Amino acid sequence: GVLVVLRQPEQNKQLAAKIARYQQQDQGIAAPFKASWDLRTFGVGAQILADLGVRKMRVIGTPTKLTGVSGFGLELTGYLED
């Protein structure tokens, strides 16, 4: 698997806390929360994934319309909701 983390305007401790929160959700300990995304970063992420050889992917998060990823040779096969 591949995990691409694009730098958001948050500190390293905040990012680590967010990852820990996702782990707690997977274990059923914490309630889901909504993540806010900057759609401009999707193109950068798509380029990184394509360069790594990813072709088919499942996205972690709430289903969102990801237009244009097919232009990078990527196919969205599903979501793992947060």
Side-chain angles (χ1 to χ4, degrees):
V2 175
L3 175 66
V4 176
V5 178
L6 299 175
R7 187 95 173 129
Q8 297 293 320
E10 59 193 358
Q11 300 297 318
N12 293 337
K13 289 182 182 182
Q14 292 171 314
L15 181 58
K18 190 179 286 187
I19 292 170
R21 178 75 185 251
Y22 281 122
Q23 290 174 329
Q24 291 173 346
Q25 288 174 0
D26 287 345
Q27 298 166 356
I29 306 170
F33 66 97
K34 289 275 187 186
S36 60
W37 300 104
D38 180 356
L39 297 178
R40 294 173 292 176
T41 62
F42 283 170
V44 173
Q47 289 174 350
I48 292 169
L49 291 169
D51 287 349
L52 291 173
V54 173
R55 297 295 170 243
K56 294 183 179 186
M57 63 181 178
R58 290 187 298 169
V59 175
I60 298 173
T62 306
T64 305
K65 186 175 181 179
L66 299 177
T67 57
V69 294
S70 61
F72 295 95
L74 301 172
E75 178 185 347
L76 180 62
T77 61
Y79 288 91
L80 301 173
E81 292 192 44
D82 54 337

